[in-house]
Amino acid sequence: MAGLIHGLVRGLGYRQVSLAGHDIGAQVAFSFAVNHPMATRRVALMDAVHPDPMLYEIPMLPRPGAPFFPWWFAFNQVRELPEELLAGRARHLVDWLFDHALVHPDAVSPLDRAIYARAYDTADGIRGGNGWYQSFNQDIRDLAGYGDVKVTAPVLGLASALGDGSFAERMRAQLEQLATDATVVGLPDAGHYFVEEQPAAVLEELDRFFV
């Protein structure tokens, strides 16, 4: 995907661009920055950096009181079963994710939720979305293949305050190993979907960073 975006950038006649991505979009933005450094001016990563071996440490059974349990990381690895279970029922999953990953669940309206659910309400939609998760093993191998190569463009990490609020610390520790010039900002009173919950704060940070 990063290669396709690089081709688009070149096709539009740009030599260098700034990128921002959220979640898996942030993983793609990181891949662009590390693989196409001359084409990267600045990059903002929102609530994710790049799949790494820590994904293998996510427990199947969380300890009581664990602040965050991404059970869908394993569920989405299963082939064929998720689309059988969710086709025509995606709204249940969409509501669960927003209700549990937002500090303010009403930040995503019923209309927004219906639009998301429609996109994932077919077997092909679910299979396509889950394909991102099923590529994590390859992503981890890719990361190892970068060796000591780091992102040299300035990096802004934006992290949610979901759970115990340690997302910012984990992102900061990861970027210390992967980038030479990184700043991490935690967004209070917001969960994973902080673009929807705190749009003004996100825009303020991006405006300041991309000047």
Side-chain angles (χ1 to χ4, degrees), residues 72-112:
W72 59 92
F73 277 49
F75 178 74
N76 291 350
Q77 296 287 332
V78 179
R79 297 184 182 274
E80 299 182 1
L81 182 61
E83 49 265 44
E84 293 290 335
L85 295 176
L86 293 173
R89 307 179 186 90
R91 180 61 184 267
H92 297 294
L93 177 63
V94 166
D95 282 339
W96 190 96
L97 288 171
F98 283 135
D99 289 343
H100 289 80
L102 290 164
V103 173
H104 306 285
D106 59 352
V108 180
S109 72
L111 175 60
D112 295 329

Side-chain angles (χ1 to χ4, degrees), residues 24-94:
I24 288 176
Q27 297 169 5
V28 175
F30 176 89
S31 181
F32 184 102
V34 75
N35 284 289
H36 307 288
M38 299 303 294
T40 307
R41 177 178 173 268
R42 289 172 175 261
V43 59
L45 310 175
M46 292 181 272
D47 233 29
V49 178
H50 192 285
D52 66 17
M54 286 298 294
L55 290 178
Y56 296 133
E57 306 303 320
I58 296 174
M60 180 67 71
L61 184 66
R63 294 182 182 277
F68 182 64
F69 176 41
W71 56 268
W72 59 92
F73 277 49
F75 178 74
N76 291 350
Q77 296 287 332
V78 179
R79 297 184 182 274
E80 299 182 1
L81 182 61
E83 49 265 44
E84 293 290 335
L85 295 176
L86 293 173
R89 307 179 186 90
R91 180 61 184 267
H92 297 294
L93 177 63
V94 166

